[in-house]
Amino acid sequence: MTDEVAIVGAGPTGLLLAGDLAAAGVPCTVLERRADESNLTRAFAVHARTLELLDARGLADELLATGTTIDRVSVLGGAVLDLGWLPSRFPFMLVTPQYHTERLLERRARALGARILEGVEATGLRQDADGVEVELRTEGAATERRRAAYVVGADGVGSTVRRAIGLGFPGRSAVQSMMLADVRLSDTPRDALSLAAGADGFALVASFGDGWHRVIAWRRGHQLPDSAPVDFDELRDTTRRSYGTDFGMHDPRWTSRFHSDERQVARYRSGRVLLAGDAAHVHSPAGGLGMNAGLQDAANLGWKLAAAAQGRAPAGLLDSYHAERHPVGRATVRASASILRLALARSPVVRATRGPVAGAVAHIPALNRRVTGFISGIAIAYPGGGRRAPDLPLTGGGRLYEALRAGRFVLLAPAGDGVPDGWTDRVDHAAAGSDRLLVRPDGYVAWSAGDGDLRAALARWCGPPASSGP
Ligand SMILES: Cc1cc2nc3c(=O)[nH]c(=O)nc-3n(C[C@H](O)[C@H](O)[C@H](O)COP(=O)(O)OP(=O)(O)OC[C@H]3O[C@@H](n4cnc5c(N)ncnc54)[C@H](O)[C@@H]3O)c2cc1C
């Protein structure tokens, strides 16, 4: 028997999860087949709700210092999406290369005691009633087996873990032969992040804030395999056809070609094996949603899995990971697909309407809020698992998200109305005016005054009360 959790994959999803488990005192090992840090940066958009979850771990301010913030995004037809209304400490999107997010999460996970084994590939697994045996391959060494109480597949789109538990990855191919480059620009675009489309392709330009810009471009009718090098003239030409200018792009520091699928696994849990991040859902970069969704998966799963591994999870808690995150994953794949379809539109009718559609979203405040509320993650709520708890100021100083840094439940209630006996080992008390809320470790409201009996909610989410002694 072991109480260890093994995580396959040290991408952003696996690293956040490892830190959360280690912080909860769960022994945890991350298996990563890469021996060195990858120099390929994929995600660059970090949305508001992700910054909030990093804030609830004391990491947001450090990540903010690595990039640039954007509170308006220019989309098809010159319409502008406004993020400034977001009811958050972070009413914007952060643009920073993915490796900054990963480095921060890796440093935290190691500091909290998670073990990260590099150059170790998971090649298969087998589970029984008590645990999971993972088969490992390390270059130059014999195949080994490692036993864990639970295994999480955070091993990306080609997930070995997903295949090992016999789950398919239904969906379809979304787009082929997207060109990617980090370049210098002679003419700075008006907006730090924008998307433009022409009749035969589209381009996206984002500023990292340090003089480098990320360009993603796609051209209809010129579909090459991922291995084909990017022709810089083609990239410039596609950008020009979309924006009317190539912004004088020059000096690419690296280029790459890639394709995207739109897929989602049917179940996020199979016994003692769970899937998170790109291993569970994948879509194109449109909307900048993938890494953000993976980090939200990890934040949702971490405290539930810690409770299960420590044998204190109430019935159904671990299953609520699938119940809560699968619908969000489905909505995320759909949202990203809709943005991509508008950008790729071949039909002249759709092309003619995409400017007005984007304009309507930008100019009708309720529509703008709906779209940016979802993309930023701020509007995401879980049926039965609550809405996002805002970062309320606490009586006597501090904020709710600072109180959540302990990784425990927080009961917000006026002083003198403390945590009922039997739950003080799992729940902290804080006061925020006259509010009465039970906030989960991932910042969602499990109970509020008016929801009925607080003790019933505590038992449902935290487990039965600890006995007060003999
Ligand atoms: C061009 C591009 C731009 C993007 N832009 C954005 C954006 O702006 N915002 C956003 O939110 N998302 C964006 N994304 C998506 C984002 O990059 C991914 O969603 C994110 O990296 C997923 O993180 P992950 O940890 O789930 O998986 P990965 O980052 O794929 O990490 C999986 C890890 O598992 C390891 N691994 C795989 N198999 C094994 C094995 N068998 N054994 C051991 N280790 C294994 C891999 O080496 C890897 O390190 C973009 C993607 C692309 C391609």
Side-chain angles (χ1 to χ4, degrees):
M1 285 293 288
T2 170
D3 58 356
E4 180 179 90
V5 172
I7 298 171
V8 183
T13 306
L15 291 169
L16 177 66
L17 183 63
D20 283 7
L21 290 169
V26 175
C28 153
T29 301
V30 184
L31 312 167
E32 170 54 57
R33 74 175 167 205
R34 275 184 287 116
D36 307 306
E37 187 181 28
S38 156
N39 64 355
L40 174 75
T41 177
R42 296 187 287 161
F44 53 84
V46 182
H47 290 298
R49 186 64 181 142
T50 305
L51 289 166
E52 290 187 341
L53 82 80
L54 295 173
D55 189 23
R57 289 156 182 79
L59 302 170
D61 291 332
E62 193 175 338
L63 191 64
L64 281 174
T66 66
T68 186
T69 60
I70 291 171
D71 61 5
R72 36 182 279 143
V73 180
S74 170
V75 287
L76 308 163
V80 170
L81 286 179
D82 173 27
L83 301 168
W85 71 275
L86 291 171
S88 168
R89 220 184 132 216
F90 310 103
F92 44 70
M93 172 197 299
L94 171 68
V95 175
T96 189
Q98 181 164 333
Y99 53 74
H100 282 311
T101 307
E102 290 185 13
R103 274 182 204 153
L104 197 62
L105 294 173
E106 179 173 345
R107 205 184 62 215
R108 166 180 180 257
R110 286 189 194 274
L112 289 166
R115 295 210 308 150
I116 301 177
L117 305 180
E118 288 164 318
V120 178
E121 180 177 8
T123 51
L125 57 82
R126 222 161 33 87
Q127 60 173 322
D128 53 50
D130 302 322
V132 191
E133 199 168 77
V134 189
E135 193 181 89
L136 307 178
R137 188 167 55 209
T138 312
E139 200 170 299
T143 298
E144 278 175 75
R145 288 192 164 67
R146 188 181 188 99
R147 201 159 165 83
Y150 291 91
V151 168
V152 180
D155 48 347
V157 58
S159 176
T160 302
V161 174
R162 191 183 60 231
R163 269 184 276 118
I165 54 174
L167 290 179
F169 206 25
R172 59 181 175 176
S173 162
V175 61
Q176 303 289 326
S177 205
M178 290 236 235
M179 294 174 279
L180 197 67
D182 283 359
V183 300
R184 299 266 185 201
L185 301 181
S186 305
D187 306 326
T188 308
R190 193 190 51 160
D191 293 299
L193 177 60
S194 59
L195 171 67
D200 57 359
F202 73 87
L204 175 148
V205 179
S207 162
F208 287 134
D210 60 358
W212 287 101
H213 296 261
R214 162 66 51 85
V215 179
I216 300 180
W218 176 84
R219 185 168 193 167
R220 194 188 317 283
H222 197 224
Q223 307 290 289
L224 300 175
D226 288 357
S227 55
V230 171
D231 175 351
F232 194 53
D233 286 337
E234 184 190 357
L235 183 78
R236 280 164 52 176
D237 189 48
T238 308
T239 307
R240 207 177 304 122
R241 285 162 181 257
S242 305
Y243 279 94
T245 170
D246 66 9
F247 303 105
M249 70 176 71
H250 57 96
D251 286 344
R253 66 177 165 183
W254 68 271
T255 60
S256 172
R257 207 179 274 277
F258 70 101
H259 73 277
S260 291
D261 290 356
E262 287 158 1
R263 301 181 184 278
Q264 189 183 22
V265 72
R267 283 186 286 133
Y268 284 15
R269 178 181 181 195
S270 170
R272 291 176 169 272
V273 182
L274 299 113
L275 295 168
D278 275 16
H281 45 75
V282 75
H283 48 73
S284 86
L289 300 171
M291 179 181 75
N292 289 275
L295 292 173
Q296 298 294 343
D297 288 347
N300 185 289
L301 178 59
W303 61 278
K304 296 174 181 174
L305 189 53
Q310 291 169 338
R312 55 181 175 81
L317 185 69
L318 197 51
D319 283 329
S320 74
Y321 167 62
H322 168 88
E324 293 182 349
R325 292 303 302 170
H326 189 272
V328 176
R330 188 171 51 222
T332 304
V333 174
R334 283 189 186 152
S336 180
S338 306
I339 301 169
L340 185 70
R341 298 287 170 272
L342 272 184
L344 295 182
R346 177 193 286 276
S347 138
V349 178
V350 179
R351 286 211 312 270
T353 53
R354 68 186 166 196
V357 168
V361 171
H363 290 115
I364 302 174
L367 218 49
N368 176 70
R369 283 173 187 231
R370 213 183 141 134
V371 170
T372 52
F374 181 81
I375 288 178
S376 66
I378 292 291
I380 290 173
Y382 301 126
R387 63 184 192 278
R388 158 189 169 272
D391 190 14
L392 297 167
L394 301 180
T395 311
R399 302 179 280 115
L400 173 62
Y401 291 3
E402 289 170 336
L404 286 170
R405 289 178 188 170
R408 291 154 53 89
F409 281 79
V410 175
L411 177 67
L412 290 177
D417 194 1
V419 179
D421 283 349
W423 284 284
T424 49
D425 57 336
R426 285 153 282 175
V427 184
D428 292 329
H429 175 262
S434 59
D435 282 313
R436 295 187 78 228
L437 298 175
L438 177 64
V439 182
R440 307 187 329 187
D442 59 355
Y444 288 83
V445 178
W447 171 91
S448 59
D451 283 350
D453 184 19
L454 170 61
R455 286 166 189 274
L458 285 164
R460 175 183 169 204
W461 289 104
C462 310
S467 64
S468 50

